[in-house]
Amino acid sequence: SVGNQPYQAVDTLLTPQINNLTTTDQGLNTADEPVSYYIRAIDSCGNAAMPADTHRTIHLRATSQNAYNQLEWTTYKGWQNYEYELQRKVIGSNSWKGLKTFSQLQQQFRDSNVNCQVTYRYRIRATDLNTNRISFSNTDTAQSYEVTPPKAPVIIRASVTSTGTNNG
């Protein structure tokens, strides 16, 4: 399900054995919409099991603001006991740095520890506290700006020297 729309079949995985199955869902734009998945097993006679638990990815949106980046996200759906870690890196850097760890109830953060005109990439890592399984959000970028001019200094004393007509 993309953007909480009705579910559509993505793939049929045929296997006569019990093991881990993997499929890839390409062409998604997770920057614009959250994506949810569930799995349904069908036996060789066509009997369908009840759907598996639904898992919804975290949808993160970063917005540039005056001297900060505003981050908002949807919650992860699937595990019962998890926490979020908001991570950031500077564009061009290879390492993600943890900014803050949140409970599963918080869904926004103001990153004021930024330098204007520097582009930051953000993501959220959800960790199941019972199994240590992880799920990452989409990544999004933001570059804060400065529109508030600095305060003009108060001039207490000034002296003026008269200059010549040729040198200013």
Side-chain angles (χ1 to χ4, degrees), residues 58-60 71-74 84 102 106-109 124:
I58 299 168
H59 178 237
L60 171 67
L71 306 163
E72 297 175 353
W73 59 88
T74 61
Y84 299 128
F102 301 101
Q106 190 161 350
Q107 294 178 282
Q108 60 182 345
F109 180 74
I124 295 177

Side-chain angles (χ1 to χ4, degrees), residues 81-85 101-104 124-129:
N81 188 22
Y82 58 93
E83 69 181 8
Y84 299 128
E85 180 186 45
T101 301
F102 301 101
S103 73
Q104 50 196 356
I124 295 177
R125 175 184 167 151
T127 303
D128 181 340
L129 297 175

Side-chain angles (χ1 to χ4, degrees), residues 85-165:
E85 180 186 45
L86 177 61
Q87 298 177 338
R88 176 181 83 180
K89 73 176 182 174
V90 174
I91 295 294
S93 167
N94 291 329
S95 61
W96 289 93
K97 306 246 188 261
L99 285 181
K100 189 164 182 172
T101 301
F102 301 101
S103 73
Q104 50 196 356
L105 298 176
Q106 190 161 350
Q107 294 178 282
Q108 60 182 345
F109 180 74
R110 178 183 283 195
D111 186 9
S112 301
N113 189 16
V114 295
N115 293 318
C116 294
Q117 310 307 321
V118 174
T119 303
Y120 296 95
R121 177 166 284 149
Y122 297 93
R123 72 179 181 189
I124 295 177
R125 175 184 167 151
T127 303
D128 181 340
L129 297 175
N130 297 329
T131 64
N132 288 326
R133 291 184 178 143
I134 61 172
S135 177
F136 287 102
S137 70
N138 61 301
T139 60
D140 202 1
T141 59
Q143 181 184 82
S144 69
Y145 49 86
E146 184 74 51
V147 296
T148 308
K151 213 176 217 184
V154 176
I155 299 175
I156 297 173
R157 188 179 334 186
S159 59
V160 177
T161 304
S162 151
T163 62
T165 56

